[in-house]
C-alpha cells in the first residue's frame, strides 16, 4: 500500500472565509452579512441586527466575535448594542428559551409552541418569569431550517420540537 506523499493543497477559498470555531450555524448568518458588506466597520448596526435575528438577543460571545471580525474595539460594539433600543443583550433569567419564528419553523408549528410556552410561563417574548428562572426570546431563522421547528434551550439547538416537548423541557427548569 502506498500512501500519497503529496501535501494537501491549500484551499484558498476555505482559508479566506470566517467561521466561528463552535460550528454553530447561527454564526454563518453573521458571516454572510459581514461578507456582503466587505467587513466594513460602518456595517456594524446591520451586522448586530442580523445577529439578533439569528440568536434572539446579543450575548457576549456574539459581540466578541463581531468585534474581532470587524476589527473594532469590543467597547465600541458594546456601546452600540446598548445604545439602541432595538438591541437586547442576554436576558436575565437563569435559563433561556429561544423559539425560532422564521418561516420554516413557523409553518411547522412554532406558533403553537410559542402560544403553549406563553400560557405555561405567563410571560411573552423578551420577558423573564418573576422568579428569575426562565426568559423567553424569539428569533427569525437560527440556521436550522432542516430540523424545523427549532428551539434553543440554554444555547443548545433542539430540532423537531412540539409544544409538548418544549413544555417538558421548560418544566424541568421550574423545579
Ligand atoms: S426558520 Fe427556524 S431555523 Fe430557519
Amino acid at each position: 500500500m502506498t500512501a500519497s506523499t503529496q501535501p494537501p493543497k491549500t484551499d484558498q477559498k476555505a482559508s479566506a472565509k470566517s467561521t466561528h470555531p463552535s460550528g454553530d450555524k447561527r454564526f454563518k448568518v453573521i458571516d454572510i452579512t459581514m461578507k456582503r458588506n466587505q467587513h466594513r466597520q460602518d456595517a456594524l448596526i446591520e451586522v448586530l441586527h442580523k445577529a439578533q435575528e439569528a440568536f434572539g438577543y446579543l450575548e457576549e460571545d456574539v459581540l466578541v466575535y463581531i468585534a474581532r471580525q470587524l476589527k473594532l474595539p469590543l467597547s465600541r460594539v458594546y456601546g452600540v448594542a446598548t445604545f439602541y433600543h432595538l438591541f437586547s443583550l442576554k436576558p436575565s433569567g437563569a435559563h433561556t428559551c429561544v423559539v425560532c419564528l422564521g418561516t420554516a419553523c413557523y409553518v411547522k408549528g412554532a406558533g403553537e409552541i410559542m402560544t403553549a410556552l406563553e400560557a405555561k410561563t405567563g410571560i411573552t417574548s423578551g420577558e423573564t418569569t418573576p422568579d428569575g428562572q426562565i426568559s423567553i426570546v424569539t428569533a427569525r431563522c437560527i440556521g436550522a431550517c432542516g430540523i424545523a421547528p427549532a428551539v434553543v434551550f440554554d444555547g443548545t439547538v433542539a430540532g423537531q420540537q412540539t409544544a409538548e416537548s418544549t413544555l417538558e423541557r421548560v418544566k424541568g427548569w421550574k423545579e
Side-chain angles (χ1 to χ4, degrees):
M1 201 179 13
T2 50
S4 167
T5 51
Q6 293 269 319
K9 282 233 160 80
T10 333
D11 183 343
Q12 288 187 337
K13 266 196 226 134
S15 61
K17 74 178 177 192
S18 55
T19 33
H20 193 264
S22 69
D24 187 330
K25 286 194 183 135
R26 291 174 291 175
F27 284 98
K28 263 239 162 84
V29 177
I30 306 177
D31 288 339
I32 290 167
T33 309
M34 289 191 290
K35 211 169 164 192
R36 204 180 47 233
N37 287 285
Q38 286 119 29
H39 286 77
R40 279 195 338 264
Q41 297 179 335
D42 60 10
L44 176 60
I45 291 183
E46 188 184 337
V47 173
L48 287 173
H49 194 65
K50 275 286 167 202
Q52 180 155 297
E53 278 185 7
F55 284 83
Y57 56 89
L58 300 170
E59 62 179 306
E60 193 182 353
D61 189 28
V62 173
L63 296 177
V64 169
Y65 181 70
I66 292 171
R68 211 169 278 160
Q69 295 296 329
L70 293 184
K71 298 190 172 51
L72 280 167
L74 184 57
S75 56
R76 169 89 202 287
V77 177
Y78 258 108
V80 172
T82 50
F83 180 78
Y84 291 99
H85 292 302
L86 74 148
F87 298 127
S88 38
L89 298 183
K90 190 173 170 37
S92 56
H95 300 281
T96 307
C97 179
V98 184
V99 181
C100 178
L101 291 181
T103 309
C105 290
Y106 199 83
V107 298
K108 292 209 165 172
E112 284 98 79
I113 293 176
M114 193 60 197
T115 307
L117 209 47
E118 286 174 335
K120 179 82 184 170
T121 58
I123 57 167
T124 189
S125 176
E127 295 180 349
T128 300
T129 50
D131 63 2
Q133 282 299 303
I134 304 168
S135 294
I136 299 177
V137 180
T138 52
R140 270 178 48 198
C141 194
I142 58 169
C145 305
I147 54 167
V151 180
V152 189
F153 299 100
D154 281 341
T156 305
V157 178
Q160 274 119 26
Q161 290 299 291
T162 60
E164 293 73 40
S165 64
T166 304
L167 292 185
E168 194 54 38
R169 198 68 178 259
V170 169
K171 203 171 95 196
W173 289 347
K174 282 216 132 286
E175 287 147 7

